[in-house]
Amino acid sequence: MVSTSASEEAGAYPLRRTPTQDRANRQVERILDAACAEVVERGYDAASTSSIAKRAEIAVGSVYRYFPDKRTLIQAIERRNQHRYTEAVRARLADVQDWRQAVEVTLETFREMHRTDPGFRAVVLSGLGDPELEATPGEFDDQHAGEFAELLSRRFGAEDSKDFRLTVTLTITMGEALAHLADRLPDEDAERVLSHGLPTLHRLLEPYLS
């Protein structure tokens, strides 16, 4: 993953008050990291702003300075997740020369971040699905689909169109579902699911790419 400064990450999500110094940016990131750890270890219902503040080693008032409630914290974590995922995908696709490989790298990056970044698990364990976290329906999928459609057009010659972008959105949505299924199965079953699922994603996009 490419490195990202605290101020760049903080710009990926709305805050009650915008931090203006590096120390404040670091404090916001520490609050979000503490919220992830609390939800993963104790569950969303048991986590509280006071326990999050204690874990972050700050006063609870410092949490409320940036986040009015626990749900807003989870929304910020989801937006930080999206920012980190976008940056990781962009870096890993820089040298990819085949569009099918681009699909596979994008899917594997999604799976890897769900396995290794506590923020992704915290959102899942919060019990709040994407529709509850998004400002508009499909906010996160649509953003990634738009970026991936532009990549396929610019790098691999796909002709951009409304139908093409809808197909890319379908591919992204199906890919995420495929990743979630693979990650809850034993390794052998996961490999079988992926071996069947990836060609399906390729077939969706083939009409638009040589």
Side-chain angles (χ1 to χ4, degrees):
M1 185 188 303
V2 295
S3 61
T4 306
S5 70
S7 60
E8 286 174 327
E9 284 206 328
Y13 41 80
L15 300 171
R16 171 178 271 181
R17 176 183 298 179
T18 303
T20 56
Q21 298 178 347
D22 286 344
R23 185 172 64 84
N25 281 318
R26 289 193 295 271
Q27 186 176 75
V28 169
E29 295 306 311
R30 192 160 71 248
I31 292 169
L32 294 179
D33 290 341
C36 292
E38 278 292 297
V39 172
V40 169
E41 291 183 15
R42 304 180 62 205
Y44 179 76
D45 291 337
S48 65
T49 50
S50 59
S51 64
I52 290 167
K54 183 177 180 180
R55 183 181 288 267
E57 298 181 341
I58 59 175
V60 69
S62 295
V63 176
Y64 287 121
R65 181 180 300 126
Y66 300 108
F67 304 101
D69 52 40
K70 185 170 61 175
R71 182 176 179 274
T72 305
L73 263 168
I74 296 296
Q75 288 178 317
I77 291 167
E78 175 73 325
R79 284 162 177 77
R80 186 174 72 166
N81 290 349
Q82 178 69 15
H83 180 74
R84 288 179 172 179
Y85 174 59
T86 297
E87 291 297 304
V89 168
R90 183 179 293 123
R92 293 177 182 187
L93 292 182
D95 298 321
V96 170
Q97 300 300 317
D98 178 78
W99 69 265
R100 291 177 179 83
Q101 185 184 1
V103 173
E104 293 163 14
V105 168
T106 299
L107 179 65
E108 182 53 38
T109 302
F110 182 82
R111 294 186 66 207
E112 180 183 320
M113 295 195 76
H114 271 264
R115 289 194 300 266
T116 61
D117 191 321
F120 284 84
R121 190 176 178 199
V123 170
V124 173
L125 293 177
S126 72
L128 299 176
D130 280 353
E132 294 294 328
L133 296 175
E134 297 171 335
T136 58
E139 174 187 353
F140 302 115
D141 283 349
D142 289 351
Q143 176 183 332
H144 182 48
E147 292 167 350
F148 195 56
E150 290 172 7
L151 172 87
L152 293 176
S153 297
R154 183 177 67 256
R155 292 270 304 279
F156 303 108
E159 184 176 349
D160 204 350
S161 66
K162 180 179 179 181
D163 188 60
F164 169 64
R165 286 186 174 254
L166 180 61
T167 301
V168 173
T169 301
L170 174 61
T171 303
I172 294 297
T173 304
M174 290 177 63
E176 290 184 2
L178 177 64
H180 285 307
L181 174 58
D183 287 346
R184 68 177 176 83
L185 296 173
D187 289 344
E188 183 178 348
D189 293 339
E191 289 303 316
R192 183 179 179 187
V193 164
L194 292 170
S195 70
H196 287 293
L198 277 169
T200 301
L201 302 183
H202 294 159
R203 283 193 294 272
L204 285 170
L205 294 171
E206 277 175 353
Y208 305 94
L209 293 140
S210 59

